[in-house]
Amino acid sequence: MLTEVTATRYITPLREGGSLPGLIEADDLGTYVLKFTGAGQGRKTLVAEVVCGELARRLGLRVPRLVTVALDPVLGLGEPDQEVQELLKSSGGTNLGMAFLSGALGFDPLAFEVSPEEAGRIVWFDALVNNVDRSWRNPNLLRLRGELWLIDHGATMIWHHNWPGAANSAARPYDASDHALKPFAPDVAAAAAELAPQVTAELLAEVTAEIPDVWLTGEPGFDAPDELRRAYVRPLLARAATVHQRIHGLEGDQ
Ligand SMILES: Nc1ncnc2c1ncn2[C@@H]1O[C@H](COP(=O)(O)OP(=O)(O)O)[C@@H](O)[C@H]1O
Ligand SMILES: [Mg+2]
């Protein structure tokens, strides 16, 4: 279970990406980037953050700590920005928080070296979860004290938007031609050899157990949250062994 905190103050919106996450303070005195359950794609985005963030962490990649954030919509009453007020009002209950990395910089591929090994691990992971949001235009990578951190896994696992077609969609290749780490000669073969054997049914069960029940209820075709958790496990398990053979668009690859 992710730790639950309660939002005590809305600080400011973060306007870089599209979803307008908010910077908040919580009752544990932590500062978090809040992803709203009432935003755009709603709770599926939050489920994706949990599954991918907790999986990446267990594979040794750096992801800021995740928590669930209880939000009282009353926090929005004093917000002058209409859009922010709407988000807060429509997001009562359980939201997702990511520890705010104070002082982190956005990743700049021209100003920072990444080893082929690390680039390979990240590209391989993105291929596994089918992350379409790690392009050079929008890397969703932060740099802090010389280290890379992964954020924003909302646009992954496209198959969870259409469960009946999930097996087919999960069999599709991964296009890495726009990937932010493409210039660093990612060694995906080495990454696959190291990471694929770690992506077991047990590990994925542990990861999906972290998804709050409230984001899993009411999905058409599923009777219980655990049934939907198992549906999240299957495509990832199926992809892990061979996805490295289906990564297209890297140098030297046709
Ligand atoms: N944990 C974090 N620590 C520091 N800054 C963050 C963190 N998470 C997000 N940000 C900043 O907020 C921006 C928007 O967050 P992101 O998760 O990418 O959402 P979206 O792209 O959907 O708007 C990021 O590009 C980054 O600049
Ligand atoms: Mg983003």
Side-chain angles (χ1 to χ4, degrees):
M1 282 282 282
L2 299 177
T3 304
E4 184 176 64
V5 302
T6 299
T8 48
R9 187 165 75 97
Y10 181 84
I11 305 172
T12 188
L14 295 167
R15 291 196 183 270
E16 258 122 311
S19 72
L20 214 63
L23 195 62
I24 61 128
E25 243 169 43
D27 60 345
D28 65 346
L29 307 183
T31 308
Y32 297 95
V33 175
L34 186 77
K35 298 267 175 132
F36 293 101
T37 182
Q41 302 269 8
R43 52 191 207 163
K44 285 204 177 165
T45 308
L46 311 189
V47 171
E49 293 276 7
V50 173
V51 173
C52 298
E54 291 304 319
L55 177 58
R57 187 192 320 288
R58 283 164 177 81
L59 296 176
L61 300 169
R62 286 177 218 93
V63 179
R65 190 169 53 92
L66 299 177
V67 295
T68 52
V69 182
L71 179 74
D72 184 341
V74 118
L75 231 55
L77 289 179
E79 273 311 309
D81 184 316
Q82 187 73 22
E83 203 181 347
V84 168
Q85 196 181 101
E86 291 301 323
L87 265 178
L88 287 162
K89 278 205 294 207
S90 61
S91 300
T94 305
N95 297 266
L96 181 77
M98 178 184 268
F100 178 66
L101 298 182
S102 176
L105 301 172
F107 174 71
D108 176 355
L110 299 178
F112 191 65
E113 258 319 299
V114 183
S115 72
E117 292 74 29
E118 183 169 24
R121 284 192 289 270
I122 295 172
V123 171
W124 182 83
F125 170 76
D126 285 334
L128 176 68
V129 299
N130 189 44
N131 186 5
V132 297
D133 235 357
R134 194 106 59 207
S135 71
W136 52 272
R137 279 178 233 92
N138 182 22
N140 288 309
L141 292 166
L142 298 179
R143 192 188 141 187
L144 181 66
R145 294 189 284 270
E147 293 181 327
L148 269 186
W149 290 78
L150 276 52
I151 60 163
D152 195 0
H153 298 111
T156 57
M157 304 192 294
I158 183 150
W159 46 84
H160 76 152
H161 296 288
N162 176 23
W163 285 116
N168 278 341
S169 139
R172 301 243 291 270
Y174 181 69
D175 179 7
S177 54
D178 280 345
H179 199 283
L181 300 181
K182 176 179 168 174
F184 300 97
D187 189 347
V188 290
E194 179 196 345
L195 300 180
Q198 298 180 41
V199 183
T200 60
E202 292 71 31
L203 186 80
L204 293 168
E206 183 185 313
V207 163
T208 53
E210 303 275 13
I211 312 166
D213 277 0
V214 285
W215 298 341
L216 296 173
T217 51
E219 178 71 21
F222 296 88
D223 291 330
D226 279 342
E227 201 185 323
L228 187 48
R229 287 190 175 93
R230 286 191 288 276
Y232 275 95
V233 167
R234 280 190 290 272
L236 294 173
L237 199 55
R239 274 171 91 80
T242 56
V243 74
H244 63 286
Q245 297 160 357
R246 285 178 283 133
I247 299 175
H248 299 308
L250 296 174
E251 290 319 330
D253 153 276
Q254 282 318 309

